């Protein structure tokens, strides 16, 4: 038995909004969850996977494996923002298998021909369409759709050989995933169509997601397919991570505490299966250690024979499955049909490029290319009557048979229209959808090292030190730029950086140290009205190995008409630090029009003597981080003063004045410790929700319009929250607290018990409008 479970509405089961149930043998018993646990410990995404006793309508099925599906809950539970999960469309595989195994004549042909199972397709991985597991309408200019297009085009360009592996994959995640897959004998999960990726829009990289690994530790082999092959082992950045991670794995697998934990976890699962009377495969830590040695020895032999490449895909023989293609077995998809959007931003000027590729060894005759309404029988023909010859990657002359058409975009495509093609192959009629795809990923950022003179001729580039220096002066940015990995940006005192609705991505330390008489200014122009989404830019530091430092930096925001700009980078802050530690002292943020004046994600930080004044939305947002705020002031804020999720934060000796929503919002399993805090005029004082803990001491609340202290569950996959407030005073605050059932508030050593919400409080926490 195998099930895919979709709870009704927005309900979740054990934090999962979608999951599968299957027999433990499907993924080789305890090998899969143990491998996934190891991956998660290394920060690699893996769905929740555990064993449970299952009943169906009171009938006991027995012990089954529960496997989480690809949803936002998977990402948020592992400290990622909601985003695209990308993979290959497996429909051609299953459709072809159905044709072969469910039709007697095809099954006889297969048995007589003795064709290997791996050849039972008309195409290779480069001919698979790509899909996003999020429910987005592809080809629209909505934020989620355009970010999805970025991720899909990133992988598509890699498949086409125009981007190197280090430009596409987050090697910090990819290297340990690749090593662990070998150690566990999990080449099944490395197979292209089983691969899943999370697209991080801020890093502009794909992270691997462990899925369908089916580990067999005692069957070691080198995992290689079209998606990787030698391209990884000729990538210098991957090799740098690989050598470092191999050393880490060697230490890990021989660490006594790890070995003890491994044996305990293994015994836990064994007890499970033995209690059920289930036979199961076994492994041992010594097998993993031996596999690591085999991997290292193979790499020692392979790598010296390879030459580092530029990441371009070499010509390969596309037709590797000739026995199948020459057989008389029915083909489910002899034609690859993709439609590419020429401009994912501007709908009004959009053209559609159709690429048609013959995957067989016989001619295909196209009868009609047409738009078909999804609601009605109305169709519009846009092309007809032509043939497509055989395409072979290894034959330059045959490449002319890659048929390309350009058609005008139809106004309600793809929301309410499908683009389809009718053709004949071996005297059989086919009618299939032309699938939307994306490529040409280089539409977001430009390398600043190549374009610095467009900003100023005074900028100093020190190649040997990998440092860019902005001397004293004014620098105006009209385009989106990035600095390569590990480059430092150094801004001298008395400088001004102006961002016209664009962003500057720094992938090394950001050093901006002014002084009280010569501060550094950052001016961020935004457009809060653009397509209802908003455009904001500014500086963002991503995956810097070294910490950043800012001192006497003043950021100022402006709302302007920037309709010629696009911001689909996934940024919410005018100043953002993403997986990059930072210390900020004696600095101010004034009139920031972004969603957050300052946003820090997955980093350690210190903020001292910070003032954030008149932010349109949130003042400071901290996600999945650890921080310390001292002697700071948040005033005239449109939404939250401090908003934390998945964060451990200490706030001391600070003030919150005239806050439009919550002075401090603590959510998604955060831990807040706050002392010597003054909150004067706020809609809500402190809100704790979703398994968060807020410990408050010496807090003064005055003129709280809504509720001083409030606990509740916003996301059911988390759970109740708590607040403990000691030496807390309230003046001119009619509603001191509200405590949802199962949550707790202890105020000045007294448990307030359950306090039901009134209508205003339901509005205050967003339950109703």
């Amino acid at each position: 038995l195998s099930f895919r479970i979709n709870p009704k509405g927005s309900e979740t089961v054990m934090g999962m909004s979608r999951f599968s149930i299957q027999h433990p043998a499907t993924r080789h018993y305890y090998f899969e969850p143990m491998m996934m646990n190891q991956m998660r410990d290394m920060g690699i995404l893996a769905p929740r996977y555990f064993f449970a006793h299952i009943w169906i309508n009171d009938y006991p099925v027995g012990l089954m494996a529960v496997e989480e599906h690809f949803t936002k809950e998977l990402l948020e539970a592992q400290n990622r923002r909601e985003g695209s999960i990308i993979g290959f469309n497996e429909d051609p595989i299953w459709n072809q298998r159905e044709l072969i195994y469910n039709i007697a004549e095809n099954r006889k042909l297969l048995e007589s021909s003795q064709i290997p199972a791996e050849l039972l397709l008309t195409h290779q991985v480069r001919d698979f369409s790509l899909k996003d597991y999020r429910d987005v309408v592809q080809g629209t200019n909505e934020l989620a759709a355009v970010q999805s297009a970025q991720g899909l085009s990133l992988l598509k360009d890699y498949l086409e050989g125009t981007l190197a592996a280090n430009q596409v994959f987050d090697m910090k995640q990819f290297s340990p995933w690749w090593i662990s897959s070998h150690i566990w004998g999990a080449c099944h999960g490395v197979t292209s169509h089983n691969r899943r990726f999370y697209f991080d829009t801020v890093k502009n990289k794909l992270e691997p997601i462990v899925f369908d690994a089916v580990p067999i530790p005692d069957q070691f082999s080198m995992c290689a397919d079209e998606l990787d092959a030698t391209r990884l082992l000729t990538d210098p950045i991957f090799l740098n991570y690989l050598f470092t991670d191999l050393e880490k794995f060697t230490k890990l697998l021989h660490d006594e505490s790890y070995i003890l934990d491994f044996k305990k976890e293994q015994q836990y699962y064994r007890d499970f299966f033995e209690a059920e009377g289930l036979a199961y495969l076994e492994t041992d830590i010594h097998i993993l250690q031996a596999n690591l040695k085999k991997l290292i020895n193979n790499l020692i032999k392979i790598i010296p024979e390879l030459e580092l490449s530029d990441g371009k895909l070499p010509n390969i023989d596309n037709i590797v499955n000739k026995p199948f293609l020459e057989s008389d077995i029915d083909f489910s998809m002899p034609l690859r049909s993709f439609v590419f959007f020429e401009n994912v931003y501007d709908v009004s000027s959009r053209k559609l490029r159709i690429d048609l590729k013959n995957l067989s060894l016989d001619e295909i005759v196209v009868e009609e290319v047409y738009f078909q309404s999804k609601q009605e029988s109305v169709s519009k023909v846009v092309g007809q009557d032509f043939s497509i010859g055989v395409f072979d990657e290894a034959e330059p002359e045959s490449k002319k048979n890659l048929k390309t058409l350009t058609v005008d975009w139809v106004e309600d495509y793809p929301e309410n229209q499908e683009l389809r093609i009718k053709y004949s192959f071996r005297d059989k009629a086919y009618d299939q959808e032309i699938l939307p795809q994306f490529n040409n990923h280089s539409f977001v950022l430009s390398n600043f090292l190549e374009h610095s003179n467009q900003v100023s001729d005074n900028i100093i580039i020190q190649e040997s030190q990998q440092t860019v220096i902005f001397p004293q002066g004014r620098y105006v940015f009209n385009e989106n730029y990035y600095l390569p990995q590990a480059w430092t940006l150094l801004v001298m005192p008395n400088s001004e950086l102006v961002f016209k609705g664009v962003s500057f991505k720094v992938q090394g330390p950001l050093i901006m140290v002014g002084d009280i008489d010569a501060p550094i200014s950052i001016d961020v122009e935004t457009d809060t009205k653009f397509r209802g989404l908003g455009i904001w830019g500014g500086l963002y530091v991503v995956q810097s190995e070294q910490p950043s430092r800012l001192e006497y930096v003043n950021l100022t925001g402006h709302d302007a008409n920037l309709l010629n700009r696009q911001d689909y980078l996934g940024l919410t802050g005018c100043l953002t630090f993403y997986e990059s530690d930072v210390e900020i002292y004696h600095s101010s943020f004034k009139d920031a029009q972004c969603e957050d004046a300052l946003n820090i994600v997955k980093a350690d930080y210190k903020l001292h003597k910070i003032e954030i004044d008149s932010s349109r939305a949130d003042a400071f947002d901290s996600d999945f981080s650890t921080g310390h705020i001292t002697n700071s002031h948040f005033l005239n804020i449109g939404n939250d003063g401090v908003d934390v999720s998945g964060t451990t934060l200490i706030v001391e000796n600070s003030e919150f004045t005239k806050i439009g929503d919550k002075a401090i919002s603590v959510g998604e399993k955060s831990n807040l410790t706050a002392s010597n805090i003054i909150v004067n005029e706020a809609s809500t004082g402190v809100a704790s929700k979703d398994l968060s803990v807020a410990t408050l001491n010496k807090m003064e609340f005055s003129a709280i319009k809504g509720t001083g202290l409030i606990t509740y569950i916003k996301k059911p996959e988390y759970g109740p929250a708590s607040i403990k407030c000691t030496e807390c005073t309230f003046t001119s605050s009619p509603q001191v607290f509200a405590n949802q059932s199962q949550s707790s508030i202890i105020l000045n050593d007294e448990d307030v018990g359950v306090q039901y919400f009134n209508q205003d409080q339901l509005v205050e926490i967003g339950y109703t409008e």
Side-chain angles (χ1 to χ4, degrees), residues 423-713:
Y423 61 93
S424 61
F425 170 75
R426 293 182 178 177
D427 298 325
K428 293 182 180 179
Y430 290 78
D431 187 338
Q432 69 188 47
E433 182 182 2
I434 303 176
L435 298 171
Q437 296 290 280
F438 302 89
N439 64 355
N440 298 324
H441 181 263
S442 58
F443 52 70
V444 181
L445 303 169
S446 301
N447 189 339
F448 185 72
L449 299 180
E450 300 172 1
H451 302 279
S452 62
N453 60 347
Q454 295 179 7
V455 176
S456 173
D457 292 329
N458 296 327
I459 294 171
I460 301 170
I461 297 178
Q462 295 181 337
E463 291 276 356
S464 60
Q465 302 296 319
Q466 289 192 311
T467 300
V468 173
I469 302 174
F470 285 21
Q472 176 181 332
R474 188 171 188 267
Y475 304 91
V476 179
F477 294 82
N478 291 295
E479 302 293 338
N480 292 314
Y481 296 112
Y482 73 91
L483 274 182
Q485 190 74 39
W487 276 70
T488 298
L489 177 61
L490 174 61
V491 182
M492 303 305 289
N494 216 23
S495 295
E496 181 183 10
L497 280 62
V498 180
F499 296 93
K500 300 281 189 178
V502 297
S503 298
F504 191 178
K505 177 181 178 180
V506 181
Q507 299 178 89
L510 172 64
I511 308 299
M512 305 179 73
V513 179
D515 59 50
I516 193 168
D517 297 318
I520 297 170
S521 299
I522 302 174
D523 199 352
V524 181
E525 292 189 9
T526 66
D527 186 348
T528 60
K529 304 175 184 64
F530 177 74
R531 292 180 182 164
L533 301 173
I535 297 175
W536 38 81
L539 273 168
Y540 67 114
V541 183
V542 179
Q543 287 189 304
S544 173
E545 297 289 341
Q546 301 297 322
S548 296
R549 183 179 179 89
L550 282 72
E551 194 164 353
Y552 291 105
V553 174
N554 300 324
L555 183 147
T556 305
H558 301 282
D559 203 358
N561 184 353
L562 300 168
L563 291 180
N564 63 325
R565 301 293 179 201
Q566 296 86 25
D567 175 37
Y568 295 107
L569 297 170
L571 299 174
T572 60
C574 290
L575 180 62
T576 301
F577 294 87
Y578 195 97
E579 295 184 11
S580 304
D581 298 343
V582 62
E583 296 182 2
I584 306 177
Y585 301 97
H586 304 285
S587 296
S588 70
F589 300 75
K590 176 77 171 177
D591 295 320
Q593 301 298 303
C594 308
E595 188 175 329
D596 311 308
L598 174 64
N599 184 207
I600 299 178
V601 184
K602 290 194 278 189
D604 294 337
Y605 59 87
K606 292 181 181 178
L607 309 180
H608 178 66
K609 291 194 175 180
I610 304 301
E611 181 176 273
I612 303 183
D613 182 6
S614 301
S615 288
R616 179 183 66 88
D618 290 349
F620 173 54
D621 194 330
S622 171
D623 301 311
F624 319 120
S625 298
T626 300
H628 196 171
I629 302 174
T630 54
N631 301 92
S632 295
H633 194 189
F634 305 85
L635 65 157
N636 303 311
I637 306 302
N639 288 340
D640 298 336
V642 171
D643 183 1
V644 299
S645 60
T647 290
T648 298
L649 174 63
I650 298 173
V651 185
E652 298 176 307
N653 306 317
S654 297
E655 294 185 39
F656 296 79
T657 307
K658 295 184 178 179
I659 308 298
D661 197 350
K662 305 168 188 68
I664 305 178
S665 176
V666 192
E668 295 172 354
K669 211 174 181 179
S670 291
N671 196 313
L672 169 74
T673 302
S675 60
N676 295 310
I677 306 296
I678 297 174
V679 180
N680 182 29
E681 292 188 48
S683 177
T684 303
V686 176
S688 180
K689 55 187 181 292
D690 300 334
L691 281 180
S692 294
V693 176
T695 304
L696 316 175
N697 184 45
K698 295 182 180 178
M699 304 278 292
E700 297 181 15
F701 296 91
S702 63
I704 305 300
K705 300 176 184 176
T707 310
L709 306 175
I710 191 166
T711 60
Y712 58 98
I713 299 173

Side-chain angles (χ1 to χ4, degrees), residues 398-417:
S398 80
K399 292 183 180 181
K400 65 184 180 183
N401 292 328
L402 182 64
K403 186 71 174 178
T404 301
L405 307 175
T406 301
V407 300
D408 292 329
W409 172 70
V410 174
E411 185 174 353
D412 55 353
Y413 177 79
E415 296 96 323
N416 299 308
Q417 297 268 356

Side-chain angles (χ1 to χ4, degrees), residues 296-332:
I296 293 173
N297 290 335
N298 283 339
L299 292 174
I300 290 172
K301 296 175 184 177
I302 294 171
I303 291 175
E305 298 176 358
L306 302 173
E307 294 183 8
L308 293 184
S309 71
D310 59 0
K312 306 303 182 188
L313 186 67
N315 282 334
I316 58 174
D317 183 3
N318 190 58
I319 303 178
V320 297
N321 48 354
K322 285 187 179 181
F324 174 62
L325 298 179
E326 291 171 346
S327 73
D328 293 325
I329 297 173
D330 290 335
F331 294 170
S332 70

Side-chain angles (χ1 to χ4, degrees), residues 1-5 16 18-33 36 47-56 61-70 90 94 188 194 196 210-215 272-273 276 278:
L1 295 176
S2 179
F3 299 92
R4 176 67 51 76
I5 310 296
M16 300 179 294
R18 198 175 185 197
F19 56 94
S20 298
I21 297 175
Q22 55 206 355
H23 194 279
T26 307
R27 303 278 196 261
H28 286 176
Y29 297 96
Y30 67 79
F31 298 166
E32 188 95 355
M36 286 184 167
R48 280 167 275 204
Y49 190 100
F50 55 91
F51 301 104
H53 289 98
I54 304 298
W55 283 260
I56 300 174
V61 175
L63 192 70
M64 299 281 274
V66 179
E67 181 180 50
E68 185 175 20
H69 197 54
F70 305 111
E90 297 181 74
W94 304 116
H188 188 269
N194 287 330
R196 304 291 185 270
V210 186
F211 170 67
D212 200 3
V214 194
F272 242 69
F273 299 134
E276 291 293 316
L278 289 174

Side-chain angles (χ1 to χ4, degrees), residues 82 197 232 239 259 290 314 338 349 351 371 383 426 480 483 493 501 612 665 681 703 753:
E82 182 180 358
F197 304 95
L232 281 178
L239 291 179
I259 293 173
F338 293 158
S349 65
K351 291 281 188 180
F371 285 98
R426 293 182 178 177
N480 292 314
L483 274 182
I612 303 183
S665 176
E681 292 188 48

